[in-house]
Amino acid sequence: MKILGVAIKTLREMRREPLVASIAFGFPLVLLLIYHFSFGKPPGGMSALLTVQIVNMDRAAPDPAPARQLIEAVRAERFEGAPTFTVVVGRDAAAARIALSEHKAAAMLWIPSGFGARVAAQSRRRLEPGRDSIPEVMIFGDATSDMYEFARALLDDLVRREVRRQTGRPNPMPLHLSFIK
């Protein structure tokens, strides 16, 4: 019953003092508008926020198709019907690191030389110690950035799915994370 009494008292005060009513109902509406314009859906979808620099060092390998397929999988990834990532592909790691440090990219996906050969060896299910190893990629980014953490989580899952698809093996693929300073 005390709650009902407090509610009736507050309603009487609001009727006598219109300023109290405007603060009680107006302030939350103003905050909703601020939150909507601050954190609402960006005009270009998620890809406007999540730019991924892909450094592909596997272009001259005997079989660069796995690296190309991985890049296409990143490009094809969708969230709510729109592209998840804006993808920038190159071979210049220095330029990609600069984009990361200037917060022009959320993450950098490094595809090392020999990635295609490792994927092919995995798919043949013949790994020779010392010569072949499991396919690896590296994701770099700023650990203090929320966009990096979000992009890293999405990329981690995407890369693992794609390598499993290409190799036909369910074994988990190691993923190396490095943080910029």
Side-chain angles (χ1 to χ4, degrees):
M1 288 310 270
K2 282 187 174 185
I3 294 174
L4 185 60
V6 170
I8 291 171
K9 178 184 146 284
T10 304
L11 289 173
R12 283 183 191 148
E13 287 175 0
M14 285 185 191
R15 191 180 55 187
R16 281 182 289 192
E17 293 290 332
L19 182 61
V20 173
S22 65
I23 290 174
F25 296 111
F27 190 66
L29 290 174
V30 169
L31 282 177
L32 280 174
L33 287 172
I34 290 171
Y35 288 146
H36 171 72
F37 288 115
S38 297
F39 304 110
K41 204 179 228 185
M46 191 181 300
S47 66
L49 298 174
L50 297 178
T51 299
V52 175
Q53 296 274 334
I54 299 180
V55 179
N56 183 9
M57 302 306 289
D58 199 39
R59 289 183 181 173
D63 185 12
R68 280 197 311 266
Q69 290 172 2
L70 177 60
I71 293 168
E72 288 309 312
V74 173
R75 280 193 175 118
E77 186 71 8
R78 297 270 188 243
F79 182 79
E80 294 182 350
T84 305
F85 303 106
T86 299
V87 178
V88 179
V89 180
R91 289 185 70 119
D92 189 3
R97 282 188 177 268
I98 290 170
L100 278 176
S101 64
E102 292 177 350
H103 299 284
K104 292 179 180 175
M108 177 175 74
L109 178 67
W110 175 278
I111 302 172
S113 180
F115 176 78
R118 291 178 178 142
V119 169
Q122 278 274 323
S123 64
R124 289 190 310 265
R125 301 189 189 304
R126 281 184 272 142
L127 292 176
E128 297 176 23
R131 191 174 140 228
D132 293 323
S133 62
I134 49 181
E136 296 178 327
V137 298
M138 290 173 263
I139 299 175
F140 295 89
D142 181 1
T144 62
S145 167
D146 291 338
M147 289 297 113
Y148 164 69
E149 290 298 329
F150 191 48
R152 182 200 52 79
L154 293 171
L155 282 171
D156 180 25
D157 179 59
L158 172 69
V159 167
R160 289 175 191 275
R161 275 187 287 133
E162 181 59 22
V163 170
R164 279 189 206 118
R165 185 193 68 73
Q166 289 183 24
T167 61
R169 298 190 79 172
N171 296 348
M173 180 185 118
L175 190 67
H176 298 284
L177 303 175
S178 253
F179 306 113
I180 59 171
K181 296 178 174 121

